[in-house]
Amino acid sequence: MKQRIFITRKLDDGVLAPLREKFDVRMWESESESVPRDILLQEVAEVDALWTVLADNVDRELFEMAPKLKVVSNLAVGHNNIDLEVAKERGIIVTNTPGVLTETTADLTFGLLLATARRLMEAENDVRTGNWTSWSPMGYTGMDVGGATLGIVGMGRIGEAVARRAKGFDMRILYHNRSRKMDAEVEHGFEYVELDALLGEADFVVILAPYTPETVGMIGARELGLMKKTAVLINVARGAIVDEVALYDALKNGDIWAAGLDVFTTEPVPQDNPLLILPNVTVLPHIGSASITTRLGMMKLNGQAIMDVLEGREPENRVV
Ligand code: DGY
């Protein structure tokens, strides 16, 4: 009997073709809606491989219902939706998609930074809705990006790619990370600083740290209080790294100037999240890696990893 793969979202047929030749591939046929939990739990009972997206909660309950499962491949570089401890306990391989999304996510990060600094969404909305009534001397005025100080919290591959872009804008680049990047400091002049110093000095604070127990709530009321009143916070990592209630207060009270958010604690963000009614917040639906080439590239990595594990080879991009 062929080994079985279950895919939790409708994915590109071209990417799936090599898998279909060798395996019994089953797929939840919606691109935009998550597979219901009860169906997912039924499916995993018979699978050898599970191909997931960030919205799928791969927890102990799921692992315990999947006696044949050998590999979970996640269509993301982040893997906070998967209980890695249980995967390890049960000898199940988990893979992700690093590298291929670095430049695309850095593009989006820089785009969100520019859009937030220069109030692009608000201005665009006014043009479309007929609220652009006259040219106004101080209308839509924002913050300068060129020559400003950028503070990157979490200097991994994406952080470095954002910093390289910022160099083209003559920005001073501060970073905070678990480990220092001496090569990048020498080559590009990036400056390592403690988190509090970064928050106090940066005009733009970009959160790119991984989601871990240590980073949850890392930016709370105290940290936001250290930022300049003119500063902009950009979060493209995971929503829960920033305390959303504290962020709302800081934005409403003018303790910081604006925020650009591609990620939220709960996704899709509930319509009653108070951040959505603040004019100084620019919001996006978690699209950091969303270019056609990159998403297809991510899928190829997942497909290859699943193929490798099911055929007895060591996969690339193994998380555990
Ligand atoms: C990731 O890869 O972790 C992004 O957040 C989703 O593309």
Side-chain angles (χ1 to χ4, degrees), residues 251-274:
L251 288 160
K252 184 140 178 62
N253 300 334
D255 298 332
I256 68 170
W257 189 74
L261 307 172
D262 183 42
V263 289
F264 298 86
T265 302
T266 304
E267 294 181 2
V269 61
Q271 281 302 293
D272 62 358
N273 184 322

Side-chain angles (χ1 to χ4, degrees), residues 54 75-78 97 101 236-238 263 286 288-289 295 298:
L54 278 179
L75 186 64
V77 66
T97 62
L101 48 62
V236 280
R238 287 294 180 269
V263 289
H286 201 147
S289 62
R295 284 287 166 84
M298 291 163 70

Side-chain angles (χ1 to χ4, degrees), residues 127-173:
V127 175
R128 285 185 190 274
T129 54
N131 287 319
W132 177 28
T133 47
S134 76
W135 187 89
S136 151
M138 289 304 282
Y140 306 109
T141 48
M143 294 293 167
D144 280 321
V145 175
T149 297
L150 173 65
I152 298 180
V153 180
M155 194 65 147
R157 286 187 257 209
I158 300 171
E160 287 195 34
V162 170
R164 277 190 274 106
R165 284 157 177 73
K167 293 268 297 174
F169 282 71
D170 290 329
M171 296 179 94
R172 176 182 171 209
I173 294 145

Side-chain angles (χ1 to χ4, degrees), residues 266-289:
T266 304
E267 294 181 2
V269 61
Q271 281 302 293
D272 62 358
N273 184 322
L275 285 167
L276 298 186
I277 53 164
L278 290 177
N280 50 348
V281 179
T282 300
V283 287
L284 295 175
H286 201 147
I287 55 168
S289 62

